[in-house]
Amino acid sequence: MLRYLTSGAGIGAAVCVVIAICATYSFTGADADPNTLHDSDSTLAFNIVFTAALALGSVLTLPRATARLGLGMAVGAGAVYPSLFIANVASMFRSSAHGTPGYIAPGAGFYWGIVSAALAIAAAVSATVALRRSGDSRLAPTKSSSLWAVIALLCTGAWVVGTWLPWQKQVLTATAADGTTSSVTYGPCCSLSHQPAQWAVQAVATAVLITVVCLIAVCLTSASTASGILLAATVFAASDVLRVLWTKPYTLAELAPGLEMTEGQLIQADAVVVLRHLPGVWITAAACMGLLLLAVARGIHVASTASHPAPQSEAGHLAQ
């Protein structure tokens, strides 16, 4: 029964994200312009990753053969996913007055997103109870798990360093009539040292949660459950990386007003916009790849499952 509750909550969370993508997410600026999560390809990709992870974990929870992997993914998702709303929620509370440039207010999509986070937490609680009843949540640290823990700490530490550093910048280069070349740099983007405080708080909270769930996962007796937790944590840790790598350069039409020029004038000047990814995003990507490899290695490590009950017995427990 708990498996079905977990799966239902996870699928509900995924559906809520889809609705949030389609609805107006927020209203910003002096004119309260409506914004959606599909306004840009990068933001859409960012949220599709969430939807896929929540849905996959829910589907894997149903068959007995993959139940532990799915339940582990539900635990990892429920622990990390809600933390990614911290900055958005704080921005709503810290909004300036209506009619000012710093105004931001929630739309229907925002509330659907909050519901999805709540359902992810509910799925995690249900999954934890199911794993506890089946004995798959037992902690049994070994010499091998100590090595896994060190690797997990190194990966999460690298994730924090990469997240703190700038990730990308864009450079507009144009040639004047006399043949001289000039350039304008936009960015660097995404460095936490230049972001509002709520983004730093979100990054710290996410890093702490990822670290905690990874350290717990490497000490579990169930390799499948551990892999599921690590896999979900990796997906949500890597979501921002995927969003940035999917980002497209500014168009000349977008940059022209700020330069007090027309798009045609920029075209005549052979203007070109180049998006450059900086070390921060690659360090973060490497950290996420390390967590992914850890999830795979933990799942196939035979020694960690040597003392685990027979698969048939476990399936019976999980079916209760």
Side-chain angles (χ1 to χ4, degrees):
M1 179 63 70
L2 288 172
R3 284 193 296 128
Y4 298 109
L5 288 175
T6 301
S7 179
I11 291 174
V15 171
C16 286
V17 177
V18 173
I19 298 174
I21 291 173
C22 298
T24 299
Y25 191 80
S26 63
F27 301 90
T28 60
D31 297 325
D33 297 318
N35 303 288
T36 68
L37 297 179
H38 60 266
D39 283 341
S40 68
D41 292 342
S42 60
T43 303
L44 179 60
F46 177 70
N47 287 277
I48 286 178
V49 169
F50 295 160
T51 307
L54 293 168
L56 178 61
S58 301
V59 172
L60 291 175
T61 300
L62 295 175
R64 292 183 178 181
T66 58
R68 287 168 206 79
L69 180 62
L71 290 170
M73 288 189 67
V75 173
V80 180
Y81 173 53
S83 70
L84 301 178
F85 285 88
I86 292 175
N88 281 345
V89 171
S91 295
M92 302 295 180
F93 279 105
R94 299 181 66 183
S95 169
S96 59
H98 185 277
T100 60
Y103 174 73
I104 178 170
F110 171 79
Y111 294 113
W112 279 108
I114 295 299
V115 172
S116 75
L119 287 173
I121 293 174
V125 172
S126 177
T128 301
V129 175
L131 291 169
R132 186 174 182 82
R133 288 185 178 181
S134 66
D136 292 301
S137 62
R138 290 179 312 212
L139 296 175
T142 63
K143 291 183 178 179
S144 297
S145 61
S146 299
L147 175 60
W148 303 134
V150 170
I151 296 174
L153 287 174
L154 289 175
C155 290
T156 53
W159 186 87
V160 171
V161 172
T163 302
W164 179 261
L165 296 173
W167 283 14
Q168 67 180 23
K169 67 178 179 180
Q170 302 197 41
V171 179
L172 170 67
T173 303
T175 303
D178 60 2
T180 59
T181 301
S182 60
S183 63
V184 179
T185 300
Y186 298 89
C189 166
C190 310
S191 171
L192 286 181
S193 58
H194 295 90
Q195 296 291 327
Q198 60 263 31
W199 290 99
V201 171
Q202 175 175 299
V204 170
T206 303
V208 170
L209 288 170
I210 291 173
T211 302
V212 170
V213 297
C214 287
L215 291 180
I216 291 175
V218 297
C219 295
L220 291 177
T221 56
S222 170
S224 295
T225 303
S227 284
I229 294 175
L230 290 167
L231 180 59
T234 300
V235 169
F236 292 105
S239 56
D240 262 332
V241 175
L242 297 176
R243 176 179 60 81
V244 169
L245 294 179
W246 207 277
T247 299
K248 295 181 179 179
Y250 294 131
T251 64
L252 297 181
E254 291 174 327
L255 298 178
L259 298 171
E260 298 182 351
M261 299 176 66
T262 65
E263 182 181 3
Q265 289 174 320
L266 289 174
I267 293 175
Q268 289 179 351
D270 295 327
V272 177
V273 182
V274 177
L275 189 153
R276 297 173 181 171
H277 294 113
L278 303 177
V281 72
W282 300 120
I283 293 174
T284 308
C288 294
M289 183 58 68
L291 288 175
L292 178 60
L293 293 176
L294 178 61
V296 174
R298 182 64 180 85
I300 63 177
H301 186 58
V302 179
S304 64
T305 61
S307 61
H308 204 268
Q312 185 177 359
S313 174
E314 292 172 1
H317 283 302
L318 287 169
Q320 292 178 358

